[in-house]
Coordinates of all heavy atoms in Angstrom, one line a residue:
A241 N 4.0 6.4 55.0 CA 4.4 5.0 54.9 C 4.0 4.1 56.1 O 3.7 2.9 55.8 CB 6.1 5.1 54.9
T242 N 4.0 4.6 57.3 CA 3.7 3.8 58.5 C 2.2 3.4 58.3 O 1.8 2.3 58.5 CB 3.8 4.7 59.7 OG1 5.2 5.0 59.8 CG2 3.5 3.9 60.9
E243 N 1.4 4.4 58.0 CA -0.1 4.1 57.9 C -0.5 3.1 56.9 O -1.2 2.1 57.0 CB -0.9 5.4 57.6 CG -2.3 5.3 57.8 CD -3.0 6.6 57.6 OE1 -2.4 7.8 58.1 OE2 -4.2 6.8 57.1
S244 N 0.2 3.3 55.7 CA -0.1 2.3 54.6 C 0.4 1.0 54.8 O 0.0 -0.1 54.7 CB 0.4 2.8 53.2 OG 1.9 2.9 53.2
A245 N 1.7 0.9 55.4 CA 2.3 -0.4 55.8 C 1.5 -1.1 56.9 O 1.4 -2.4 56.8 CB 3.8 -0.1 56.2
A246 N 1.0 -0.4 57.8 CA 0.2 -0.9 58.9 C -1.1 -1.7 58.2 O -1.4 -2.8 58.6 CB -0.2 0.0 60.0
A247 N -1.6 -1.0 57.2 CA -2.8 -1.6 56.6 C -2.5 -2.9 55.9 O -3.1 -3.9 55.8 CB -3.3 -0.7 55.7
V248 N -1.3 -2.9 55.2 CA -0.7 -4.1 54.4 C -0.4 -5.2 55.4 O -0.7 -6.3 55.1 CB 0.3 -3.7 53.4 CG1 1.0 -4.9 52.9 CG2 -0.3 -2.7 52.4
L249 N 0.2 -4.8 56.6 CA 0.5 -5.9 57.6 C -0.8 -6.6 58.0 O -0.9 -7.8 58.0 CB 1.2 -5.4 58.8 CG 2.7 -5.0 58.7 CD1 3.1 -4.5 60.1 CD2 3.4 -6.3 58.4
A250 N -1.8 -5.8 58.2 CA -3.1 -6.3 58.7 C -3.7 -7.2 57.6 O -4.2 -8.3 57.9 CB -4.1 -5.3 59.0
Y251 N -3.6 -6.9 56.3 CA -3.9 -7.7 55.3 C -3.2 -8.9 55.1 O -3.7 -10.0 54.9 CB -4.1 -6.8 53.9 CG -4.7 -7.7 52.8 CD1 -6.0 -7.9 52.9 CD2 -3.9 -8.3 51.9 CE1 -6.5 -8.6 51.7 CE2 -4.4 -9.1 50.8 CZ -5.7 -9.2 50.8 OH -6.4 -10.0 49.9
G252 N -1.9 -8.7 55.3 CA -1.0 -10.0 55.2 C -1.3 -11.0 56.2 O -1.3 -12.2 55.9
F253 N -1.4 -10.6 57.5 CA -1.7 -11.6 58.6 C -3.2 -11.9 58.6 O -3.4 -13.2 58.7 CB -1.4 -10.9 59.8 CG 0.1 -10.8 60.0 CD1 0.6 -9.5 60.4 CD2 0.9 -11.9 59.9 CE1 2.1 -9.4 60.7 CE2 2.4 -11.7 60.0 CZ 2.9 -10.4 60.5
G254 N -4.1 -11.2 58.3 CA -5.6 -11.3 58.3 C -6.1 -12.0 57.1 O -6.8 -13.1 57.2
G255 N -5.8 -11.3 56.1 CA -6.3 -11.7 54.7 C -5.5 -12.8 54.0 O -6.2 -13.8 53.4
L256 N -4.3 -12.8 54.2 CA -3.5 -13.8 53.4 C -3.0 -15.0 54.4 O -2.4 -16.0 54.0 CB -2.3 -13.1 52.7 CG -2.6 -12.1 51.8 CD1 -1.3 -11.5 51.2 CD2 -3.5 -12.7 50.6
G257 N -3.3 -14.8 55.7 CA -2.8 -16.0 56.7 C -1.4 -16.0 56.8 O -0.9 -17.2 57.0
L258 N -0.5 -15.0 56.5 CA 0.9 -15.0 56.8 C 1.3 -15.3 58.2 O 0.6 -15.0 59.1 CB 1.6 -13.8 56.1 CG 1.4 -13.6 54.7 CD1 2.1 -12.3 54.3 CD2 1.8 -14.8 53.9
H259 N 2.6 -15.9 58.4 CA 3.0 -16.1 59.7 C 4.1 -15.0 60.1 O 4.1 -14.8 61.3 CB 3.6 -17.5 59.8 CG 4.3 -17.8 61.1 ND1 3.7 -17.9 62.3 CD2 5.6 -17.9 61.4 CE1 4.5 -18.2 63.2 NE2 5.7 -18.2 62.7
R260 N 4.8 -14.6 59.1 CA 5.9 -13.7 59.4 C 5.9 -12.8 58.2 O 5.8 -13.0 57.0 CB 7.2 -14.6 59.4 CG 8.5 -13.7 59.4 CD 9.6 -14.8 59.4 NE 10.9 -14.3 59.1 CZ 11.7 -13.6 60.0 NH1 11.4 -13.6 61.2 NH2 12.9 -13.0 59.6
I261 N 6.2 -11.5 58.5 CA 6.6 -10.4 57.6 C 7.9 -9.7 58.0 O 8.0 -9.3 59.1 CB 5.4 -9.4 57.4 CG1 4.1 -10.2 56.9 CG2 5.7 -8.3 56.5 CD1 2.8 -9.4 56.9
V262 N 8.7 -9.6 57.0 CA 10.0 -8.9 57.1 C 10.0 -7.6 56.5 O 9.2 -7.4 55.5 CB 11.2 -9.9 56.7 CG1 11.0 -10.1 55.2 CG2 12.4 -9.4 57.0
G263 N 10.9 -6.7 56.8 CA 11.1 -5.5 56.2 C 12.6 -5.2 56.2 O 13.3 -5.5 57.1
R264 N 13.2 -4.7 55.0 CA 14.6 -4.4 55.0 C 14.8 -3.1 54.5 O 14.2 -2.6 53.8 CB 15.3 -5.5 54.0 CG 15.1 -6.9 54.3 CD 15.6 -7.9 53.4 NE 15.3 -7.8 52.0 CZ 15.8 -8.3 51.0 NH1 17.0 -9.0 51.1 NH2 15.5 -8.1 49.7
Y265 N 16.0 -2.6 55.0 CA 16.3 -1.3 54.5 C 17.8 -0.9 54.6 O 18.5 -1.6 55.3 CB 15.6 -0.2 55.4 CG 15.9 -0.1 56.9 CD1 17.0 0.8 57.3 CD2 15.5 -1.1 57.8 CE1 17.3 0.8 58.6 CE2 15.9 -1.2 59.2 CZ 16.9 -0.2 59.7 OH 17.2 -0.2 60.9
L266 N 18.2 0.1 53.8 CA 19.5 0.5 53.8 C 19.9 1.3 55.0 O 19.1 2.1 55.4 CB 19.8 1.3 52.6 CG 19.6 0.7 51.2 CD1 19.6 1.7 50.1 CD2 20.8 -0.3 51.0
P267 N 20.9 1.0 55.7 CA 21.3 1.9 57.0 C 21.3 3.4 56.7 O 21.0 4.1 57.7 CB 22.7 1.3 57.3 CG 22.9 0.1 56.7 CD 22.0 0.1 55.4
R268 N 21.5 3.8 55.5 CA 21.5 5.2 55.3 C 20.1 5.9 55.0 O 20.0 6.9 54.8 CB 22.4 5.7 54.2 CG 22.1 5.1 52.9 CD 23.2 5.3 51.7 NE 23.1 4.5 50.6 CZ 22.2 4.7 49.7 NH1 21.4 5.6 49.8 NH2 22.1 3.8 48.6
N269 N 19.2 4.9 55.4 CA 17.7 5.4 55.3 C 17.1 5.1 56.6 O 16.2 4.3 56.7 CB 16.9 4.6 54.1 CG 15.5 5.0 54.0 OD1 15.2 6.1 54.6 ND2 15.0 4.3 53.1
P270 N 17.5 5.8 57.7 CA 17.1 5.6 59.0 C 15.4 5.7 59.1 O 14.8 5.0 60.0 CB 17.8 6.4 59.9 CG 18.3 7.5 59.1 CD 18.4 7.0 57.8
G271 N 15.0 6.5 58.4 CA 13.5 6.8 58.4 C 12.7 5.5 58.1 O 11.6 5.3 58.8
S272 N 13.2 4.7 57.2 CA 12.5 3.5 56.9 C 12.5 2.5 58.1 O 11.7 1.7 58.4 CB 13.1 2.9 55.7 OG 12.4 1.8 55.2
G273 N 13.7 2.5 58.7 CA 13.8 1.7 59.9 C 12.8 2.2 61.0 O 12.2 1.2 61.7
Q274 N 12.7 3.4 61.1 CA 11.6 4.0 62.3 C 10.2 3.5 61.7 O 9.6 3.0 62.7 CB 11.7 5.5 62.2 CG 12.9 6.0 62.8 CD 12.9 7.6 62.8 OE1 12.6 8.2 61.7 NE2 13.0 8.1 63.9
V275 N 9.9 3.4 60.5 CA 8.6 2.9 60.1 C 8.4 1.5 60.5 O 7.4 1.1 61.1 CB 8.4 3.1 58.5 CG1 7.2 2.2 58.1 CG2 8.3 4.5 58.1
L276 N 9.5 0.6 60.2 CA 9.3 -0.7 60.7 C 9.2 -0.9 62.2 O 8.4 -1.8 62.7 CB 10.5 -1.6 60.1 CG 10.7 -1.5 58.5 CD1 11.9 -2.2 58.1 CD2 9.4 -2.0 57.9
R277 N 10.0 -0.1 62.9 CA 9.9 -0.2 64.3 C 8.5 0.3 64.8 O 7.9 -0.3 65.8 CB 10.9 0.5 65.0 CG 12.4 -0.2 65.0 CD 13.3 0.5 65.8 NE 13.8 1.8 65.3 CZ 14.5 2.0 64.2 NH1 15.1 1.0 63.6 NH2 14.9 3.1 63.9
K278 N 8.0 1.3 64.2 CA 6.6 1.7 64.6 C 5.5 0.6 64.4 O 4.5 0.7 65.0 CB 6.2 3.0 63.9 CG 6.9 4.2 64.4 CD 6.5 5.4 63.4 CE 7.3 6.6 63.8 NZ 7.0 7.7 62.9
L279 N 5.8 -0.3 63.4 CA 4.9 -1.3 63.1 C 5.0 -2.4 64.0 O 4.3 -3.5 63.9 CB 5.2 -1.9 61.7 CG 4.9 -0.8 60.5 CD1 5.3 -1.3 59.2 CD2 3.4 -0.5 60.5
G280 N 6.0 -2.4 65.0 CA 6.1 -3.5 65.9 C 7.3 -4.5 65.5 O 7.5 -5.5 66.2
M281 N 7.9 -4.2 64.4 CA 9.0 -5.1 63.9 C 10.1 -5.1 64.8 O 10.6 -4.0 65.3 CB 9.4 -4.9 62.5 CG 8.2 -5.3 61.4 SD 8.9 -5.2 59.9 CE 7.4 -5.8 58.9
R282 N 10.9 -6.2 65.0 CA 12.1 -6.2 65.8 C 13.3 -6.2 64.8 O 13.2 -7.0 63.8 CB 12.3 -7.5 66.6 CG 11.3 -7.6 67.7 CD 11.7 -8.8 68.5 NE 10.6 -9.3 69.3 CZ 10.6 -10.4 69.9 NH1 11.7 -11.2 69.8 NH2 9.6 -10.8 70.7
H283 N 14.4 -5.6 65.1 CA 15.6 -5.7 64.4 C 16.1 -7.1 64.5 O 16.4 -7.5 65.6 CB 16.6 -4.6 64.7 CG 17.9 -4.5 63.8 ND1 19.0 -5.2 64.4 CD2 18.0 -4.1 62.7 CE1 20.0 -5.0 63.4 NE2 19.3 -4.3 62.4
E284 N 16.5 -7.8 63.5 CA 16.9 -9.1 63.5 C 18.3 -9.3 63.0 O 19.0 -10.3 63.3 CB 16.0 -10.0 62.7 CG 14.7 -10.2 63.1 CD 13.8 -11.4 62.5 OE1 14.3 -11.6 61.3 OE2 13.1 -12.0 63.2
G285 N 19.0 -8.3 62.4 CA 20.3 -8.3 62.0 C 20.7 -7.5 60.8 O 19.8 -6.9 60.3
T286 N 21.9 -7.5 60.5 CA 22.5 -6.7 59.4 C 23.1 -7.8 58.5 O 23.9 -8.6 58.9 CB 23.6 -5.8 59.9 OG1 23.1 -4.9 60.9 CG2 24.2 -5.0 58.9
L287 N 22.7 -7.6 57.3 CA 23.3 -8.5 56.2 C 24.4 -7.6 55.7 O 24.1 -6.6 54.9 CB 22.3 -8.7 55.2 CG 21.1 -9.6 55.6 CD1 20.0 -9.8 54.5 CD2 21.5 -11.0 56.1
R288 N 25.6 -7.9 56.0 CA 26.8 -7.2 55.6 C 27.1 -7.1 54.2 O 27.1 -8.2 53.6 CB 27.9 -7.5 56.4 CG 27.8 -7.3 57.9 CD 29.0 -7.8 58.8 NE 29.4 -9.2 58.3 CZ 30.7 -9.5 58.2 NH1 31.6 -8.7 58.0 NH2 31.0 -10.8 57.7

């Protein structure tokens, strides 16, 4: 997940010229949160 997501981030920023990429996950899936943090994403909040 981390390796493939990193490649897609690179494509999104480099190939598509995006400015911001977000990732969302369910709190009961902490592994997905770990993937996003490994990609350098910052936690911005919880949508209750």
Side-chain angles (χ1 to χ4, degrees):
T242 303
E243 190 172 331
S244 61
V248 169
L249 276 184
Y251 185 76
F253 288 128
L256 298 177
L258 297 180
H259 173 69
R260 170 185 164 85
I261 297 178
V262 65
R264 302 182 303 164
Y265 66 97
L266 297 167
R268 59 187 166 80
N269 183 9
S272 194
Q274 286 179 311
V275 167
L276 298 175
R277 284 187 296 281
K278 286 178 188 174
L279 296 172
M281 290 191 173
R282 288 190 206 168
H283 185 260
E284 293 189 332
T286 302
L287 300 173
R288 297 178 309 126

